[in-house]
Amino acid sequence: MFESIPCGMRESRRALAYAAARKEGIEMAKVTINQDRCKGCGLCVSVCPKKVLALDTGKLNRKGYNPAAPVNPDDCIGCAMCGMMCPDCVITVEK
């Protein structure tokens, strides 16, 4: 359906669809991070198109790293780029 729509319009239509779903109370996507295993490399933060994740500089995990944490979880579009980029496979994206 979206393949024939130019990239900018595709993102706009997708954003409108997610906003409408949120308004109806439908949960779209959920990011879960196993913070005890996260090394805080920041790769997930850098690839997230909606800036959902950030390194939690106020917290250290068992390994002594600042883990990634969802800061804007409602903005998640479920693309799972963060999970694909994570070298330690500590991120799960549920749609």
Side-chain angles (χ1 to χ4, degrees):
M1 176 178 153
F2 290 124
E3 280 66 50
S4 63
I5 300 170
C7 188
M9 281 184 71
R10 185 179 328 149
E11 280 300 312
S12 298
R13 291 181 97 186
R14 189 175 297 150
L16 287 172
Y18 283 112
R22 267 190 235 110
K23 186 176 180 181
E24 295 295 320
I26 300 169
E27 192 172 319
M28 295 306 294
K30 180 181 177 188
V31 178
T32 307
I33 301 173
N34 183 339
Q35 292 187 333
D36 286 334
R37 292 183 48 216
C38 178
K39 290 190 294 192
C41 66
L43 291 173
C44 58
V45 175
S46 65
V47 298
C48 181
K50 296 296 182 181
K51 305 300 179 206
V52 172
L53 304 174
L55 294 179
D56 188 353
T57 57
K59 180 181 178 182
L60 292 176
N61 62 13
R62 282 193 254 163
K63 295 181 177 184
Y65 299 114
N66 295 110
V71 291
N72 300 314
D74 291 338
D75 293 342
C76 181
I77 58 173
C79 68
M81 289 297 296
C82 55
M84 288 186 270
M85 186 59 73
C86 182
D88 298 317
C89 301
V90 301
I91 300 174
T92 305
V93 178
E94 299 173 41
K95 294 182 187 179

